[in-house]
Amino acid sequence: MKMMNGVELHEVRVSAPGKVILHGEHSVVYGKTAIAVSLGLRTSIVIKEIHSDTHIVNVDLPAVDLQETIELQPITDKLFDPPFLPGTTEFPWMEPGNLDHEKHFGAVEKFLHETRPDFDSLQSNRQNSLRCFLYAFSGIFGSTKLPVCSMEISMESELTVGAGTGSSASFAVCLTAALIQLVKLKSGVDQEEFSMEDKKIISSWAFNCERITHGSPSGIDNSTCTFGSLISFRKGAGPRVLDLELRLRVLLVDTRVSRETKALAAKVAAFREWNTAAVDSVMDACDHVTHTATEILENLSKTKNITDIQLQYQRLEELWDMNHCLLGALGVSHAALERVRAAARARGLACKLTGAGGGGYAIVLIPPYSDEANITSLKQELEAAGFRATDTRLGGAGVALRS
């Protein structure tokens, strides 16, 4: 542990997974249930307090090509002591529900435009990264009386930004978790892992960051990246953590076709206006698939019998095929996704789009009894076609401290 002017200098390392939607894409917007699962690909952050003659924060985010050096004094002068909601008497960092989100975000936005004249010219993902950092940093530290040292914040991610694997939520969870751990260390509290209560607080902070990035998020992304495993969500009910022992193996295939979630959601909404009864029937069918798949996954997490495992995987494969076709009927598939699916089906493997569709990612289910030569052949074919294929697992740990 290093010291500076009698103050301990701390270092924090945290990682959080990405996520994929297994079932319920688009239908979740219309009150149906969706399930998401944590992804084996993770985002990692290191916050290191440093000795510096100037009071600064160095931020390095290679995933969005952002490197910034920000003076600390203007942040503490203008953004610390965050506003709390009417009816509350204080705002401690462990009660993010007391924070007046709109006022605090407004102050962050004003600060960025005053201190960064070229802010509006930055790419949107860089803008949102800066917004979320200042929002969380000043919100969490600004509600304490702890000394703030110069620090370096560096983050790396195995996730592709903007492809539907929860990159922004994983970033937000990592950032808020690391800041909370730093506050705890500076308060004399050391721990080897986050408690369930810690995770609830982290998820709430990350949700507010997701509001900055996406406007009206469902909460499923930040919940999945925080708690890991499987998350069930229905609009108006809030996320429900299904703590299952799942390590589903998949081939995560990046089609490298960019897509915009809002535009695809608007396309489905417009399609529904002209074909309301038919589209609603598709949404109902998607909901049935989601609930059936959840039951199968719950059974799969408990059974050890090989015959039963094979049967459960066969049922999952049928549901993946069905779900993809239902989404295709809504017009959100893409030629690249269909090419991936055809290559998988030629080898007897189930494949579906995940997320908004229109490009982005496809996921290929790999049962435990699969022929490895078959998987290798599929991966080679997909990569030769210009796709990126990653062999990974679903259902692993959520946010975690790293040594």
Side-chain angles (χ1 to χ4, degrees), residues 235-261:
K235 201 172 182 180
R240 183 168 65 98
V241 181
L242 302 174
D243 191 12
L244 308 180
E245 291 185 14
L246 285 178
R247 294 294 287 160
L248 294 179
R249 183 183 172 194
V250 300
L251 205 60
L252 180 72
V253 185
D254 184 356
T255 64
R256 305 195 190 209
V257 176
S258 61
R259 83 290 182 277
E260 187 178 342
T261 299

Side-chain angles (χ1 to χ4, degrees), residues 306 309-314 317 366-372:
I306 294 176
I309 289 172
Q310 290 180 335
L311 177 61
Q312 301 297 341
Y313 267 97
Q314 287 169 10
E317 289 171 338
I366 306 176
Y369 44 82
S370 298
D371 180 355
E372 288 303 316

Side-chain angles (χ1 to χ4, degrees), residues 303-310:
T303 185
K304 304 296 181 184
N305 181 280
I306 294 176
T307 302
D308 287 344
I309 289 172
Q310 290 180 335

Side-chain angles (χ1 to χ4, degrees), residues 11-276:
E11 182 174 320
V12 174
R13 295 174 179 266
V14 172
S15 74
K19 74 91 184 63
V20 292
I21 301 291
L22 276 189
H23 299 288
E25 298 95 335
H26 290 286
S27 60
V28 70
V29 176
Y30 300 91
K32 310 304 180 183
T33 301
I35 52 174
V37 65
S38 54
L39 185 59
L41 306 179
R42 299 178 73 87
T43 299
S44 302
I45 188 172
V46 178
I47 298 183
K48 184 187 299 184
E49 293 184 317
I50 59 173
H51 172 73
S52 175
D53 293 332
T54 55
H55 217 36
I56 57 170
V57 179
N58 288 325
V59 180
D60 183 17
L61 308 176
V64 294
D65 194 24
L66 178 68
Q67 288 184 314
E68 289 284 320
T69 298
I70 308 171
E71 292 184 20
L72 272 171
Q73 193 64 47
I75 298 176
T76 57
D77 288 346
K78 296 184 178 182
L79 296 179
F80 273 34
D81 195 19
F84 48 82
L85 288 171
T88 58
T89 57
E90 61 177 351
F91 167 63
W93 63 264
M94 66 286 294
E95 294 183 23
N98 284 10
L99 176 65
D100 190 323
H101 170 76
E102 295 300 335
K103 281 189 178 179
H104 186 49
F105 177 49
V108 168
E109 191 76 358
K110 181 180 179 183
F111 176 87
L112 282 167
H113 282 89
E114 288 177 350
T115 59
R116 200 56 206 266
D118 64 338
F119 182 70
D120 286 334
S121 66
L122 295 177
Q123 291 182 349
S124 61
N125 54 16
R126 296 180 190 174
Q127 290 181 350
N128 287 329
S129 296
L130 284 171
R131 287 172 175 136
C132 290
F133 164 69
L134 286 171
Y135 178 96
F137 175 67
S138 59
I140 292 170
F141 264 92
S143 65
T144 74
K145 302 299 181 184
L146 295 170
V148 183
C149 303
S150 293
M151 61 184 72
E152 294 176 346
I153 299 176
S154 57
M155 187 174 291
E156 296 181 349
S157 185
E158 298 171 320
L159 302 166
T160 300
V161 175
T165 51
S167 59
S168 65
S170 186
F171 162 76
V173 168
C174 260
L175 174 64
T176 56
L179 291 169
I180 286 170
Q181 176 66 2
L182 183 57
V183 163
K184 287 195 167 194
L185 288 174
K186 292 173 78 68
S187 302
V189 179
D190 200 355
Q191 58 187 16
E192 294 184 358
E193 60 183 32
F194 292 116
S195 67
M196 182 56 70
E197 187 58 34
D198 290 334
K199 290 181 180 180
K200 290 177 181 177
I201 296 168
I202 290 165
S203 186
S204 293
W205 275 107
F207 177 72
N208 279 353
C209 290
E210 284 285 270
R211 291 170 70 185
I212 293 171
T213 302
H214 297 297
S216 300
S218 67
I220 195 170
D221 284 18
N222 55 280
S223 296
T224 309
C225 296
T226 301
F227 296 103
S229 191
L230 192 73
I231 302 291
S232 174
F233 177 81
R234 185 169 58 82
K235 201 172 182 180
R240 183 168 65 98
V241 181
L242 302 174
D243 191 12
L244 308 180
E245 291 185 14
L246 285 178
R247 294 294 287 160
L248 294 179
R249 183 183 172 194
V250 300
L251 205 60
L252 180 72
V253 185
D254 184 356
T255 64
R256 305 195 190 209
V257 176
S258 61
R259 83 290 182 277
E260 187 178 342
T261 299
K262 288 181 180 179
L264 287 158
K267 179 180 179 181
V268 171
F271 187 44
R272 182 174 179 268
E273 282 188 24
W274 290 99
N275 307 277
T276 305

